[in-house]
Amino acid sequence: MTYDLIIIGAGPGGYVCAIRAAQLGKKVAIVEKRAEGGKTRLGGTCLNVGCIPSKALLDTSEKFYEARKHFAEHGIAVQPSIDVAQMLKRKNGVVDALVGGIAGLMRKNKVEVLTGAGELLAPGRVRVTAADGTKAEHDATHVVLAMGSVPIELPFLKFDGERIVSSDHAISFPAVPKRLVVVGGGVIGLELGSVWARLGAEVTVVEALPQLCPFLDADVAKALQKTLEKQGLKFVLEAKVTGAQTTADGVTLTATAKDGSPLSFPADRVLVAVGRRPCSEGAGLEAAGVALTERKRVKVDGSLRTSLPGVWAIGDLVDGPMLAHKAEEDGVAVAELIAGQHAHIDYNLVPSVVYTEPEVASIGLTEAECQKRGLQVRVGRFPFLANGRARAAGATDGFVKIVADAKTDRVLGAAIIGIRAADLIGAIAAHMVYGGSSEDIARTCAAHPTVSEAVKEAALDCLGRVIHA
Ligand code: FAD
Ligand code: NAD
């Protein structure tokens, strides 16, 4: 069978690329190896073991935490308990429904799904090996590599699925661990650490660097740490993890503190969340001659073309943030470029969100990055404590911070820690896409009482005319 386009990997990068290419009249096949009970599981990391299951657990655990800690102040009396089996059943139901939805989208767009492991034999030629070992070869004018990423395994902390686990396991613990140690204070560590802490686990996060989520503005990272500490999470920063000893009834993580003293953390489970590595091995890339970067990501040019003609790569497999929405943008861009259209992605304008409580959202440059680039900036801030809607909701932690160019007033970056930060960042993104200034945001009328007024006030603060603080 000859296709216009074969995509290897059906995560948010791959399946969105397939849909867009089909919309543009292309004959498309998508190869996916993830299958269960004879059924292909589309949707990649994001739907199966990433964004969606983790958010389902965050939502359940947030309701439980709210009920336990905050209902009383509203005059609501309850004595909640957690049924972990039901929580996991609900989470699996959410995931299965969305995975089934992607299969429906493939049928609707006449995208052929080829189940099995894809291998690039040469430009335009792909072999698919099914689980039973059956092999089939397919031709296409273009091949898109979209194999995504998997958790990094540390050589001295091998995953055993029981005591030392990755996020793949930590979304399905059958019971709340009494003590959970998390290696890595990044996005996964804080999100999944929050889930189990809210349900009652004693959670300690051990991080190598002096700050949580190193990509975040330092002020925001500090505020996040403080808030999570109030929720009971413990943090040990600047620690060098050295290994772990497992026994029949637990595991002890060992590390070295900044001052060189030994540290040990007894626990029921250790979640290792130190980043993800691209799936650039085992799919024939090196043999076919696809160039990789030093960090084993597929090397692409500004238009996502690999070193081989007609072979493209997108999503977690290539440089840039490992985020589902970034993978989707890549997928759309490649489909449009293949169809002869123009496509451009501004990677500086990919928002990033940590779905803790409160949420943390950021976009563009941090204040420190602006300083490093020698840019003169004005910084506006506004605390949710001074926002009426946040007060009504009892969610006063956090603030909005906007960084604008001191001469042109163009918004260069923003960070929000606080209620509905993930949704608020979208409005700032829209201004930034059109080169908006802090004055543009300040002159945009925000409904009252909403938390979006905090964004407007932070923009006003950039101009030295904040109203409510
Ligand atoms: P993937 O989603 O990894 O999909 C790649 C697919 O390719 C997989 O299905 C894999 O089975 C398949 N594959 C690999 N090799 C082959 C082969 N040889 N043949 C056939 N198929 C193959 N991002 C966000 O934006 N927001 C979030 O809230 C968020 N939360 C996350 C939470 C967790 C716990 C994790 C682990 C990740 C989270 N992410 C989140 C990151 C997000 O999941 C990834 O950035 C995104 O899934 C990358 O998309 P992708 O299409 O590049 O690859
Ligand atoms: P991450 O890169 O966000 O964080 C890893 C953390 O581990 C860093 O803080 C790093 O300094 C630390 N670390 C590295 N080696 C260490 C060691 N030996 N000891 C102690 N700490 C160590 O990676 P992650 O949390 O594993 O997430 C992987 C990817 O998945 C990220 O790129 C992220 O973008 C994506 N993701 C996104 C979301 C979201 O958008 N909400 C949620 C989960 C995951």
Side-chain angles (χ1 to χ4, degrees), residues 9 13 32-33 44-45 50-51 55 118 147-148 276 316 322-325:
E32 175 55 58
K33 65 180 180 182
T45 302
C51 322
K55 268 74 239 177
M147 288 93 75
R276 295 177 60 83
D316 282 8
M322 287 183 162
L323 295 171
H325 42 285

Side-chain angles (χ1 to χ4, degrees), residues 53 55-56 61 93 99 119 147 155 177 205 209 212 234 238 265 277 291 311 321 336 344 416 431 448 459:
K55 268 74 239 177
S61 60
V99 167
E119 201 183 331
M147 288 93 75
V205 177
L209 296 176
L212 299 178
K234 293 195 180 92
E238 296 185 78
F265 305 93
R277 71 174 167 80
V311 180
E336 293 181 349
H344 170 73
I416 306 173
H431 278 281
H448 177 75

Side-chain angles (χ1 to χ4, degrees), residues 68-139:
R68 260 191 344 148
K69 301 281 179 184
H70 298 298
F71 273 21
E73 73 207 45
H74 292 267
I76 306 168
V78 287
Q79 278 188 323
S81 63
I82 185 73
D83 175 347
V84 175
Q86 171 56 26
M87 174 180 77
L88 297 182
K89 190 172 153 203
R90 175 187 169 277
K91 180 258 302 176
N92 293 339
V94 170
V95 168
D96 289 348
L98 288 169
V99 167
I102 305 297
L105 288 174
M106 293 299 107
R107 283 193 295 275
K108 180 183 159 203
N109 287 284
K110 302 192 173 41
V111 173
E112 188 149 347
V113 176
L114 307 171
T115 305
E119 201 183 331
L120 181 73
L121 299 178
R125 194 146 186 85
V126 170
R127 179 158 63 204
V128 180
T129 306
D132 65 4
T134 318
K135 292 185 194 305
E137 290 187 17
H138 305 268
D139 294 320

Side-chain angles (χ1 to χ4, degrees), residues 26 48 57 64 74 87 106 162 169-170 190 195-196 219 223 230 247 365-366 372 400 403 408 438:
K26 301 292 172 193
N48 290 282
L57 297 180
F64 178 69
H74 292 267
M87 174 180 77
M106 293 299 107
E162 190 56 40
H169 311 109
L190 299 188
V195 165
W196 296 107
D219 290 353
K230 276 200 275 176
T247 59
L365 300 176
T366 63
K372 248 191 232 156
V400 179
V403 182
T408 65
S438 74

